Amino acid sequence: MKFSSLNLYISFFFLIFFLNSKNVYSASFTFPSTLTTNTSDFVLLSETGTTPSVNGFSTDVLITIVATAGYVKITTVTGLEQINGYCGYTADNSSSEPDNCTDDNRSEIGFEGTQAEVNTALATLSFKGDGSTSNVSITASATPTGAAYNSSNGHYYRAISSTDIDWDDARAAAKSEAQKFNGLTGYLVTITSEQENDFIADKISVSAWTGGSDSETERVWKWMDGPEAGQTYTCQKFGVGGTGGTISGSVCTEQSYLNWNFGEPNEYVEGENYMHVYGSGVRKGEWNDYVIDNTNVDAYIIEYGGMGGTATVSGEATITITSTEASDSTFDVFDDKQLVGIVEGQSESSKRFIYNSTNSVLERMEWYRTTKKNDSIKFKDLGLSIDITNKDTYPYAKLLDLYLLKGDVKKEQKLSEENIEKFINDLPLSKYLKNEFGLIPRKWKIWSSGYITNGKIKLKTGKQNQDFDTDALTIGIDKIIKKNTLFGIAIRMEDQHTNIGQLGTGIKSISNSLTVYSSWHKNRLTFIDSLVGYGYINNNLKRIEQADTSNVLTGSRDIKQYFTSVKFNKIINKDNFTSLFFARGDFGLSKLDSFAESGNIQALKFEEQNLKNKSISFGTLVKFKKKINKGHFLPYGRIEFFENLSPNSKVKASYISDPNTTYTYTVKENYSNSIKFEIGFDLNLIDSWYVSSSIRKLIKNNKDFENEFAIKLGKPF
């Protein structure tokens, strides 16, 4: 639906739900019918002359208020308690709050208290528009306390903390008399939609049991209780992942929504027949299989509803809110915050792909220069064959002369074949082989880097925050082609998920890149690293329309990338410390293909888009070298400063149903500077694997951040 103006018509529904049980609630709302507001300040609903209030509750009341656009808040909170999983009612963020809780600019709030305390709070309820859409709805619910209400399916949910509880004990507790809610018997939760899964994930912070199990038939996962009892939802023909098929002659039907963690369920150990949901980290909300008594599960989720006894509406009120600031504005499709979010999300993820591809290779060269020491190279690294039986062979004769001058062991003992071979293998060769024979190692080396990243981008008012997580693997091969030049090739494979806002808009990306790199040095303390690369990204896009959240629009978009980087390095060695000072310049170009969304009349067609990213940076790295058995252990720390020089980019789109009208949006760079902190270690095992691991934090404009864990492996061959 298109709008000719930005008049905000807000339908405000207070839905009072209760269960047909021992307790019956007769409740109602007093509420104003109209309100004039704007996008500059919060306006009290009581300014209309009618103060919002709820009536008819003899027990404590749980209130939730959720706006699809704009912001709501209360200012009097005496006696109230915050509801876990909803934004608090003060400006103080807490760990239990969703990601959209930022100061006063909150699209949802939740609290509970007595009827009198709740009414005191509702008297301070206020609203502020954000000018993003011309159709905004605010949904509020008032229920007896004790469970969270999901307006999408009319069910209630409880997350019960219980350290190390077994699955069968959780199942029994969920169905017990003690856990009844408002007369309804509960059951371990059955998750049948993305909305329900997201609702649950927001309410937990630890892993929690669900009602899914394949204990009856291996690899046939069923919901064990509730209205879906006996319903299969995952069928595993081969025992790994949710692959549908015929199991033991019976037809097993998968449900349309599944959210198993990658490669799950996998029966990792015998008896992993019970499903739980992760409550934290990058896997939050994803499913996994555990044994019945796994001690990593410290909660269970009870669901109420669908088993007899239904929620009924006992009070309803409507309020129309008009924005005085937006009434004369011309309609623009980019007034939709979800659309802006997915456009800017593509921009951010494209830049992130280039940075990640570049950084993994530059770090390889950096590691090579700051970790590799010629005095750790053994004779066999040269790939030479020396006949130790022929004492006149060069360079054996030269080495033997050096050997015989060493120590005070009797000559007869030194000349044994075993002792001579041991001497040759243990001899520090950098000095003798380079100076005496002009030789340097020339072996190819293969290396790899694995990365797990999660981050958050908080944008200014009127835009959608972004959460992302990344899994990536880089594999490379390099070789010293001259005495002072390293040459190599690397490929990178990366999966990235970006969640935009709270409605379900998101991007799933798969990328691959190829990079050619070189490191050159005039001396051992000053060197230059450089690279060029090409990348390809496939984005699967999902957009929820702001004006109608039931409208889901999808599409697939390809991106081609070209990038280069040059880095200048200076090393200072002192005792066991190595200090690296560096400066770096980066340039990248992302060419986004045109594509069209699928959906309904609101679907858009996007034109080709070019994104350029430019940046310069400088920083320092300090390593400490400690000798260990068969190698060296090198802990290190890094700090790096970035200056963003990227230009803005234009996005052009039109409705598929109206191709003659083009809308334009400018993707502006939201940050000018960044700082990265890193701590980690290198483990360099002579003639064997090398291992490196680190934890990093990137902060942009003192607000946006990325967290990253990396592990790198290398092996000469």
Side-chain angles (χ1 to χ4, degrees):
M1 181 177 183
K2 301 179 186 179
F3 302 91
S4 59
S5 71
L6 289 180
N7 289 331
L8 299 180
Y9 299 101
I10 299 182
S11 298
F12 197 119
F13 299 96
F14 274 101
L15 306 179
I16 315 300
F17 296 95
F18 67 95
L19 304 175
N20 185 14
S21 62
K22 298 178 182 178
N23 300 314
V24 177
Y25 296 90
S26 177
S28 62
F29 267 105
T30 300
F31 215 73
S33 59
T34 60
L35 175 69
T36 300
T37 185
N38 55 53
T39 60
S40 300
D41 300 296
F42 282 91
V43 176
L44 285 166
L45 272 65
S46 61
E47 289 187 3
T48 61
T50 302
T51 302
S53 64
V54 61
N55 301 283
F57 283 90
S58 59
T59 65
D60 284 357
V61 188
L62 184 153
I63 300 289
T64 62
I65 303 172
V66 181
T68 59
Y71 310 104
V72 291
K73 73 174 182 178
I74 59 175
T75 54
T76 299
V77 299
T78 304
L80 301 183
E81 295 184 8
Q82 181 180 337
I83 303 172
N84 188 48
Y86 286 88
C87 293
Y89 32 77
T90 70
D92 299 323
N93 291 338
S94 76
S95 60
S96 65
E97 293 183 337
D99 295 331
N100 65 334
C101 307
T102 56
D103 299 327
D104 289 331
N105 295 326
R106 300 176 176 194
S107 60
E108 66 174 33
I109 53 176
F111 53 91
E112 63 184 24
T114 66
Q115 179 174 289
E117 292 166 343
V118 165
N119 282 336
T120 301
L122 289 173
T124 66
L125 178 64
S126 58
F127 173 83
K128 181 176 73 172
D130 60 14
S132 64
T133 180
S134 50
N135 187 17
V136 176
S137 65
I138 299 176
T139 302
S141 69
T143 68
T145 58
Y149 177 71
N150 184 358
S151 60
S152 294
N153 60 8
H155 290 194
Y156 293 83
Y157 299 81
R158 278 178 174 161
I160 308 297
S161 298
S162 184
T163 304
D164 298 345
I165 188 171
D166 295 353
W167 181 88
D168 53 350
D169 291 338
R171 182 188 185 189
K175 298 188 293 183
S176 70
E177 286 289 323
Q179 291 294 354
K180 278 189 173 182
F181 173 71
N182 202 28
L184 275 189
T185 300
Y187 50 90
L188 281 183
V189 65
T190 60
I191 307 174
T192 59
S193 70
E194 182 177 10
Q195 187 280 332
E196 186 178 23
N197 196 79
D198 292 344
F199 181 87
I200 291 167
D202 281 342
K203 308 298 180 290
I204 59 175
S205 58
V206 297
S207 293
W209 290 120
T210 73
S213 173
D214 71 339
S215 57
E216 293 183 352
T217 305
E218 190 69 32
R219 300 192 306 276
V220 178
W221 288 84
K222 298 180 179 180
W223 300 119
M224 305 306 292
D225 299 305
E228 292 85 13
Q231 175 181 306
T232 60
Y233 64 96
T234 294
C235 315
Q236 296 177 272
K237 194 172 184 178
F238 303 107
V240 178
T243 306
T246 301
I247 311 296
S248 302
S250 302
V251 177
C252 177
T253 304
E254 291 192 345
Q255 69 182 31
S256 59
Y257 175 74
L258 299 171
N259 198 39
W260 292 104
N261 186 32
F262 179 78
E264 303 291 349
N266 62 0
E267 190 84 4
Y268 183 73
V269 297
E270 185 177 356
E272 285 196 333
N273 299 326
Y274 306 93
M275 175 183 145
H276 76 96
V277 177
Y278 287 109
S280 62
V282 298
R283 296 179 295 182
K284 184 178 177 68
E286 295 183 348
W287 308 349
N288 183 41
D289 57 335
Y290 269 163
V291 296
I292 195 168
D293 57 352
N294 193 294
T295 57
N296 291 320
V297 182
D298 293 323
Y300 58 98
I301 304 166
I302 308 175
E303 183 175 357
Y304 305 89
M307 299 289 290
T310 59
T312 60
V313 176
S314 61
E316 182 177 287
T318 301
I319 182 171
T320 299
I321 301 179
T322 303
S323 172
T324 58
E325 292 185 354
S327 60
D328 297 327
S329 302
T330 303
F331 171 77
D332 189 338
V333 67
F334 288 104
D335 289 337
D336 189 323
K337 291 194 297 182
Q338 297 294 308
L339 175 59
V340 171
I342 203 167
V343 165
E344 296 192 335
Q346 292 177 79
S347 174
E348 289 294 327
S349 65
S350 297
K351 292 185 291 185
R352 209 157 36 244
F353 281 126
I354 289 180
Y355 175 80
N356 292 342
S357 297
T358 301
N359 210 50
S360 61
V361 172
L362 288 176
E363 287 181 349
R364 159 62 184 174
M365 291 185 282
E366 181 182 273
W367 178 92
Y368 187 87
R369 296 301 183 191
T370 60
T371 305
K372 176 182 177 324
K373 298 291 184 182
N374 286 335
D375 61 7
S376 71
I377 300 170
K378 294 183 179 180
F379 193 83
K380 57 187 177 182
D381 286 336
L382 299 173
L384 300 178
S385 177
I386 296 180
D387 183 8
I388 64 173
T389 64
N390 185 353
K391 308 300 188 287
D392 297 324
T393 301
Y394 186 87
Y396 178 81
K398 188 74 173 180
L399 292 172
L400 183 61
D401 289 342
L402 296 168
Y403 176 56
L404 294 176
L405 296 174
K406 192 178 177 69
D408 55 0
V409 182
K410 293 182 179 179
K411 185 174 180 178
E412 292 76 13
Q413 294 176 324
K414 288 186 175 183
L415 289 176
S416 70
E417 184 173 320
E418 181 180 352
N419 285 338
I420 292 175
E421 186 175 7
K422 184 178 185 302
F423 163 72
I424 291 174
N425 287 334
D426 291 342
L427 184 67
L429 296 179
S430 63
K431 177 179 178 181
Y432 304 113
L433 297 181
K434 184 175 181 180
N435 297 338
E436 301 291 339
F437 310 123
L439 300 173
I440 60 172
R442 294 186 178 272
K443 296 177 69 176
W444 284 97
K445 294 190 176 188
I446 189 170
W447 59 274
S448 66
S449 301
Y451 294 85
I452 300 174
T453 306
N454 71 82
K456 182 187 301 290
I457 300 176
K458 293 184 178 181
L459 301 176
K460 62 184 180 181
T461 301
K463 296 186 178 182
Q464 298 291 293
N465 296 334
Q466 301 174 24
D467 297 298
F468 61 89
D469 59 80
T470 301
D471 300 314
L473 175 66
T474 303
I475 300 174
I477 184 172
D478 50 38
K479 180 181 181 180
I480 298 177
I481 58 175
K482 295 180 180 180
K483 289 195 299 185
N484 61 352
T485 304
L486 177 74
F487 173 81
I489 301 173
I491 59 173
R492 181 180 177 88
M493 298 154 284
E494 181 171 322
D495 291 343
Q496 187 175 125
H497 292 180
T498 303
N499 297 316
I500 299 163
Q502 300 293 309
L503 299 181
T505 297
I507 308 170
K508 293 184 178 180
S509 306
I510 299 175
S511 75
N512 300 282
S513 65
L514 174 68
T515 304
V516 178
Y517 60 93
S518 176
S519 182
W520 176 87
H521 70 97
K522 186 175 183 180
N523 56 59
R524 295 186 60 185
L525 301 179
T526 304
F527 52 95
I528 300 173
D529 300 330
S530 60
L531 62 86
V532 294
Y534 169 80
Y536 171 81
I537 305 171
N538 177 253
N539 281 340
N540 288 313
L541 308 168
K542 176 183 177 182
R543 177 168 69 92
I544 309 299
E545 191 185 20
Q546 187 77 47
D548 181 5
T549 57
S550 65
N551 187 19
V552 180
L553 303 162
T554 60
S556 179
R557 192 175 203 179
D558 294 334
I559 303 174
K560 300 178 182 65
Q561 297 187 310
Y562 311 87
F563 53 90
T564 184
S565 180
V566 179
K567 185 179 179 185
F568 301 88
N569 308 265
K570 178 70 175 180
I571 289 179
I572 298 177
N573 293 313
K574 186 175 181 180
D575 298 328
N576 291 326
F577 288 90
T578 298
S579 299
L580 173 69
F581 300 90
F582 57 87
R584 166 180 168 184
D586 293 87
F587 175 80
L589 173 64
S590 300
K591 300 180 73 67
L592 286 70
D593 290 349
S594 61
F595 85 103
E597 294 177 319
S598 299
N600 54 24
I601 195 171
Q602 301 299 320
L604 297 170
K605 181 179 181 180
F606 293 81
E607 299 182 10
E608 293 181 355
Q609 180 187 354
N610 289 333
L611 286 170
K612 297 179 180 179
N613 56 285
K614 305 175 185 176
S615 67
I616 57 174
S617 65
F618 65 93
T620 184
L621 170 77
V622 179
K623 282 187 177 181
F624 175 76
K625 180 181 178 182
K626 179 177 178 59
K627 187 173 179 58
I628 60 174
N629 188 28
K630 297 184 179 180
H632 295 93
F633 176 71
L634 300 98
Y636 66 86
R638 177 202 306 268
I639 185 171
E640 187 171 2
F641 302 89
F642 299 84
E643 183 67 24
N644 181 30
L645 305 175
S646 303
N648 297 334
S649 175
K650 296 287 187 180
V651 180
K652 295 183 177 182
S654 59
Y655 285 103
I656 296 176
S657 59
D658 183 17
N660 296 322
T661 304
T662 301
Y663 303 90
T664 302
Y665 178 79
T666 301
V667 179
K668 299 180 179 180
E669 294 298 307
N670 292 308
Y671 65 94
S672 59
N673 55 75
S674 308
I675 183 171
K676 180 169 74 173
F677 302 94
E678 178 181 0
I679 57 173
F681 69 87
D682 297 324
L683 181 62
N684 187 24
L685 303 177
I686 299 172
D687 298 322
S688 184
W689 292 93
Y690 71 78
V691 182
S692 181
S693 183
S694 64
I695 299 174
R696 308 163 184 176
K697 190 176 189 69
L698 179 66
I699 304 173
K700 300 178 179 178
N701 278 2
N702 299 317
K703 59 176 183 178
D704 305 339
F705 69 87
E706 299 178 21
N707 295 321
E708 183 175 77
F709 171 76
I711 184 168
K712 291 169 280 188
L713 300 173
K715 174 75 174 173
F717 70 93

